[in-house]
């Protein structure tokens, strides 16, 4: 008898277990399109030059590794607000917004989930169907009830806008709706700014609260373009949450750096909101890790470094867009009958290919090409040296 006999084996994470299977695969030509990290043309997840320069400066200037405040530094809060909302809206939000440095976008989501569960009248958290799998775990963890809203039309591999709006119209006042700010994970299907205006109008009329999960700013159409959701919601004067991540757009995956911005609709309750957010931080991780936040602060407070980052981010964005086009062209050239043109309209690293579980299994077992069972691929995983094999494998399983 062991004390831990009561512990049952948890199900493996569906995406991370694919990575394990990929590592164990002995085929030298294996290809991993399942993980959610950017890779460059040579298949590497690079450290940005801008980040290296910021780290050199931090190493030279830093004098202490004492704790950060629970909410991170004021400079980080202010700079990330401006990046997220733009200077003008950020200025107009002063007195109504609070921003915390968090361990990644996941940390921001988890603090928001805790805060919502303990302090608001929300009965249900509404998630996109489909959504990033971890949303369910994060919002379920503090005991929140989960619901789903319609989003994706799997027959046509596109947004089901009418069903989406209908779902949003039926969400009760006080509930929280988790919206993907841009580069929807897993489908790659985004809303236009005009559609975001409709969403904000429904939120205002129905009095539910938007939570914008903003993990891919700059990976879709550009830093400003990708911020439409966050900015439209903020401008509408709604109470709102925005969870920002620097894992992808600065390549700071392992440094765990993100931000939670909470906007109140009444400045008089901001201090209470801050006090409760601090409790959630205190009992979860006490205060955020400093290094990633220092990188972000160093870059965003220096015009030259910011410019250099924008160029490096553009190169990542352009690579993803050009792989999408190359991939569709290569499928056509290989004589694949199914039309994959929709891939060029999807945004960010991920796409739903329309391939099913059986095809995903066949790709993995017969061709050593790893994609998620839902048919999601990480487009960035396709390079000049593996594109022909990916195309041939897809052609074979169709
Ligand atoms: N939200 C979405 C939709 C994501 O895809 C991710 C990363 N996979 C995150 C949040 C969290 O990112 P991180 O915690 O690595 O910053």
């Amino acid at each position: 008898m062991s004390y831990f006999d009561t512990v049952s084996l948890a199900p493996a994470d569906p995406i991370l277990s694919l990575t394990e299977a990929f590592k164990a695969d002995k085929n030298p030509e294996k290809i991993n399109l399942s993980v959610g990290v950017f890779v460059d043309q040579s298949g590497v997840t690079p450290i940005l030059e801008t980040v290296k320069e910021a780290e050199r400066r931090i190493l030279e200037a830093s004098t202490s590794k004492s704790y950060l405040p629970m909410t991170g530094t004021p400079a980080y809060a202010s700079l990330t607000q401006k990046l997220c909302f733009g200077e003008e809206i950020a200025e107009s939000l002063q007195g109504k917004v609070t921003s915390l440095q968090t361990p990644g976008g996941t940390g921001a989501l988890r603090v928001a989930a805790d805060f919502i569960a303990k302090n608001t009248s929300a009965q249900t958290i509404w998630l996109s169907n489909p959504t990033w799998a971890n949303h369910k775990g994060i919002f379920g963890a503090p005991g929140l009830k989960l619901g789903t809203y319609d989003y994706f039309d799997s027959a046509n591999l596109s947004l089901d806008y009418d069903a989406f709006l209908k779902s949003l119209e039926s969400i009760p006042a006080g509930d929280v709706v988790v919206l993907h700010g841009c580069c929807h994970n897993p489908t790659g299907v985004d809303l236009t700014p005009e559609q975001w205006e409709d969403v904000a109008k429904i939120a205002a009329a129905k009095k539910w609260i938007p939570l914008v999960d903003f993990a891919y700013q700059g990976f879709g159409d550009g830093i400003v373009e990708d911020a439409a959701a966050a900015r439209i919601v903020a401008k509408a004067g709604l109470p709102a949450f925005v969870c920002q991540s620097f894992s992808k757009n600065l390549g700071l995956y392992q440094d765990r750096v993100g931000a939670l911005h909470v906007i109140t609709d009444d400045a008089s309750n901001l201090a209470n909101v801050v006090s409760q957010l601090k409790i959630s931080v205190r009992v979860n991780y006490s205060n955020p890790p400093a290094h990633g936040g220092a990188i972000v602060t160093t870059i965003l407070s220096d015009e030259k470094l910011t410019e250099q980052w924008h160029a490096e981010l553009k190169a990542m964005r352009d690579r993803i867009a050009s792989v999408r086009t190359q991939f569709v062209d290569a499928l056509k050239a290989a004589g694949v009958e199914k039309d994959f043109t929709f891939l060029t309209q999807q945004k960010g690293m991920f796409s739903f290919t329309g391939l099913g579980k059986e095809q995903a299994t066949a790709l993995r077992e017969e061709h050593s090409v790893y994609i998620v069972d839902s048919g999601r691929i990480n487009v960035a995983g396709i390079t000049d040296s593996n594109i022909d094999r990916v195309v041939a494998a897809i052609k074979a399983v169709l």
Side-chain angles (χ1 to χ4, degrees):
M1 253 312 259
S2 151
Y3 180 70
F4 294 112
D5 282 346
T6 51
V7 181
S8 59
L9 185 67
D13 181 282
I15 296 177
L16 298 184
S17 58
L18 279 179
T19 304
E20 280 162 30
F22 173 78
K23 278 188 191 149
D25 190 329
K26 297 226 161 47
N27 183 344
E29 300 211 296
K30 61 190 177 180
I31 299 164
N32 192 356
L33 303 183
S34 64
V35 289
V37 297
F38 175 84
V39 295
D40 64 17
Q41 187 56 257
S42 54
V44 168
T45 302
I47 302 178
L48 301 189
E49 286 305 321
T50 320
V51 167
K52 283 191 188 158
E53 174 56 24
E55 286 185 313
R56 277 191 285 271
R57 293 188 193 180
I58 292 162
L59 187 65
E60 271 194 9
S62 59
T63 52
S64 172
K65 285 200 183 283
S66 181
Y67 295 121
L68 286 190
M70 282 182 265
T71 52
T73 67
Y76 180 88
S78 160
L79 291 162
T80 56
Q81 277 171 14
K82 285 181 194 146
L83 179 67
C84 183
F85 300 111
E87 298 249 357
E88 205 176 300
I89 298 173
E91 185 58 38
S92 73
L93 289 175
Q94 293 315 301
K96 285 188 167 184
V97 66
T98 184
S99 301
L100 283 67
Q101 184 191 325
T102 55
T106 304
L109 289 162
R110 186 64 169 85
V111 171
D114 260 12
F115 173 86
I116 292 162
K118 289 215 191 87
N119 301 286
T120 73
S121 61
Q123 298 292 313
T124 302
I125 303 292
W126 296 88
L127 304 175
S128 158
N129 182 23
T131 197
W132 180 43
N134 210 14
H135 277 154
K136 294 180 191 127
I138 292 169
F139 289 100
L144 289 162
K145 215 172 113 198
L146 306 179
T148 55
Y149 59 82
D150 290 332
Y151 189 79
F152 191 63
D153 173 356
S154 44
N156 296 306
L157 300 170
S158 60
L159 176 67
D160 191 343
Y161 194 52
D162 290 342
F164 173 57
L165 291 189
K166 219 164 140 207
S167 284
L168 296 186
E169 297 270 6
S170 71
I171 289 173
D175 279 2
V176 173
V177 180
V178 178
L179 301 158
H180 293 235
C182 68
C183 306
H184 187 278
N185 180 4
T187 67
V189 170
D190 281 355
L191 302 184
T192 63
E194 295 70 35
Q195 290 172 329
W196 281 119
E197 297 281 1
D198 290 345
V199 171
K201 275 188 204 127
I202 298 173
K206 298 292 172 181
K207 298 194 173 355
W208 48 254
I209 317 301
L211 185 155
V212 178
D213 183 4
F214 196 18
Y216 297 93
Q217 184 174 13
F219 264 42
D221 292 324
I223 290 183
V224 172
E225 294 84 345
D226 292 349
R231 293 180 186 187
I232 286 166
V233 160
K235 223 172 164 179
L238 303 169
F241 300 86
V242 179
C243 297
Q244 201 177 3
S245 165
F246 292 102
S247 301
K248 315 288 154 50
N249 55 15
L250 272 162
L252 293 175
Y253 306 89
Q254 61 178 228
D255 285 315
R256 313 306 304 133
V257 57
L260 169 60
H261 308 283
V262 184
I263 303 171
T264 73
D265 49 346
D266 180 343
S268 73
N269 52 35
L270 188 68
N272 293 1
V273 169
V274 173
S275 72
Q276 294 295 342
L277 288 167
K278 280 182 178 168
I279 291 190
S280 169
V281 170
R282 186 76 180 137
V283 301
N284 274 300
Y285 52 85
S286 204
N287 43 72
H291 187 66
I295 295 172
V296 171
T297 305
T298 303
I299 294 171
L300 295 182
S301 59
D302 182 295
E303 226 174 277
K304 279 240 160 72
L305 284 182
T306 301
E307 240 174 61
Q308 188 186 346
W309 169 51
H310 287 181
E312 287 192 279
L313 179 54
K314 182 174 186 305
M316 292 196 277
R317 175 169 69 244
D318 287 352
R319 166 164 152 67
I320 296 168
S322 87
V323 168
R324 287 183 177 281
T325 314
Q326 276 175 38
F327 186 41
V328 171
D329 291 349
L331 286 160
K332 253 188 227 148
V336 172
E337 262 174 41
K338 187 176 149 69
D339 183 9
F340 280 95
T341 316
F342 61 86
L343 291 173
T344 58
Q345 274 125 43
Q346 298 176 347
K347 299 283 160 64
M349 284 198 300
F350 300 119
S351 269
F352 254 16
T353 55
L355 299 172
K357 192 172 177 200
E358 263 176 42
Q359 289 155 329
T361 308
L363 280 174
R364 188 165 64 241
E365 291 178 356
E366 292 160 29
H367 303 275
S368 296
V369 174
Y370 289 74
I371 77 165
V372 181
D373 280 348
S374 61
R376 187 194 85 166
I377 59 167
N378 176 3
V379 179
I382 301 173
T383 63
D384 284 350
S385 54
N386 70 21
I387 189 164
D388 292 342
R389 265 194 26 77
V390 174
V391 168
I394 290 178
K395 189 176 177 191
V397 302
L398 275 174

